[in-house]
Amino acid sequence: MTSEENTLSGLAAQVIDLHDAALAASGGPPVAAPAEPQDFNHLYWIRANHRFNSLLWAEEDLARRTQVGDSEIAANKRAIDGYNQARNDATERVDELLLVSLGLVDRASAATASPVSLASASARLNSETAGSIIDRMSIMALKVHAMRWQTQRTDVDDEHRQSSAVKLARLEQQRKDLASCLDRLVADCQSGAAHFKIYRQFKMYNDPRFNPALVAERGPSQGKA
């Protein structure tokens, strides 16, 4: 096992601690941006993914307001599109760096549209990537934080707090399950039993070259980007 692979032991616990610490430091979403860009550090990109998920969370709350003008809701919706794209980009970056650390993708090709896999032909392909599990864990951290607050509210009755406590326990179990799946996937990748791939989302609705509504707005003379 390489030194890079060794740093992935207990990855799920690191992720949970990172997510919870960011929420505790900020008092809730959105969390602070990572201190310094570190292009080749998977923990930096895990933090970045969590940051964008927390920004999405805050905007989703604002987008459901009913006593503000349509222009404010439209601004929320546009922000959601941008943060969602950034969240997916960060998830892909996490997968690139983890696969490089695991020796399962050619380093030079990892960030391209066609990463070259170095996985054994006998290794099973896991349909969910490690990055996508971490992304789900980030969302679960936000849900746990929000539901825990519901159990502590003083402006609601006991039934609300008790019901929230039941939901909180379920959310914590769900996050624990995801953590177990992440560590199992990493361990199986380290042993050569499994691998995952870098999947590009290619979110066409955010790209004026591919979204047919945006292409129509630009007209035939501006159809090429």
Side-chain angles (χ1 to χ4, degrees), residues 155-174:
D155 62 329
V156 294
D157 58 22
D158 284 342
E159 182 180 357
H160 179 95
R161 287 189 291 270
Q162 291 168 6
S163 173
S164 297
V166 172
K167 293 180 175 68
L168 174 60
R170 178 56 62 89
L171 290 170
E172 289 175 332
Q173 181 61 55
Q174 290 172 188

Side-chain angles (χ1 to χ4, degrees), residues 102-125:
L102 289 163
L104 294 176
V105 72
D106 170 66
R107 185 184 293 269
S109 70
T112 71
S114 301
V116 177
S117 175
L118 301 178
S120 166
S122 63
R124 80 169 194 279
L125 173 62

Side-chain angles (χ1 to χ4, degrees), residues 37-215:
Q38 299 176 42
D39 286 347
F40 302 104
N41 184 319
H42 64 272
L43 291 179
Y44 168 82
W45 287 102
I46 290 171
R47 289 186 176 93
N49 168 263
H50 193 42
R51 159 75 169 172
F52 293 127
N53 272 325
S54 74
L55 288 164
L56 271 169
W57 183 280
E59 290 293 337
E60 291 282 9
D61 280 348
L62 292 172
R64 284 158 177 78
R65 292 174 295 171
T66 60
Q67 298 179 11
V68 298
D70 290 347
S71 62
E72 291 190 54
I73 302 304
N76 296 140
K77 293 293 188 180
R78 291 188 184 279
I80 286 168
D81 280 347
Y83 293 142
N84 194 41
Q85 183 68 59
R87 159 214 179 186
N88 279 281
D89 291 346
T91 300
E92 291 180 15
R93 192 69 176 132
V94 170
D95 280 330
E96 292 168 13
L97 294 173
L98 290 181
L99 283 169
V100 167
S101 293
L102 289 163
L104 294 176
V105 72
D106 170 66
R107 185 184 293 269
S109 70
T112 71
S114 301
V116 177
S117 175
L118 301 178
S120 166
S122 63
R124 80 169 194 279
L125 173 62
N126 206 70
S127 63
E128 185 172 31
T129 72
S132 64
I133 297 175
I134 291 168
D135 178 61
R136 291 173 64 194
M137 290 174 68
S138 168
I139 297 168
M140 291 304 302
L142 288 158
K143 289 183 176 182
V144 165
H145 177 88
M147 194 62 71
R148 184 176 293 116
W149 178 73
Q150 292 294 327
T151 68
Q152 298 167 352
R153 287 175 61 184
T154 58
D155 62 329
V156 294
D157 58 22
D158 284 342
E159 182 180 357
H160 179 95
R161 287 189 291 270
Q162 291 168 6
S163 173
S164 297
V166 172
K167 293 180 175 68
L168 174 60
R170 178 56 62 89
L171 290 170
E172 289 175 332
Q173 181 61 55
Q174 290 172 188
R175 180 163 66 155
K176 183 178 179 181
D177 291 346
L178 283 174
S180 176
C181 289
L182 176 61
D183 278 344
R184 187 179 301 114
L185 175 58
V186 169
D188 285 351
C189 287
Q190 290 174 324
S191 72
H195 72 112
F196 58 94
K197 294 181 178 181
I198 301 166
Y199 289 122
R200 305 301 183 191
Q201 297 301 314
F202 299 126
K203 288 188 174 295
M204 293 189 288
Y205 55 74
N206 281 334
D207 193 324
R209 299 170 301 171
F210 295 105
N211 181 325
L214 296 180
V215 170

Side-chain angles (χ1 to χ4, degrees), residues 214-224:
L214 296 180
V215 170
E217 279 187 347
R218 296 170 70 190
S221 64
Q222 303 178 51
K224 293 184 180 180

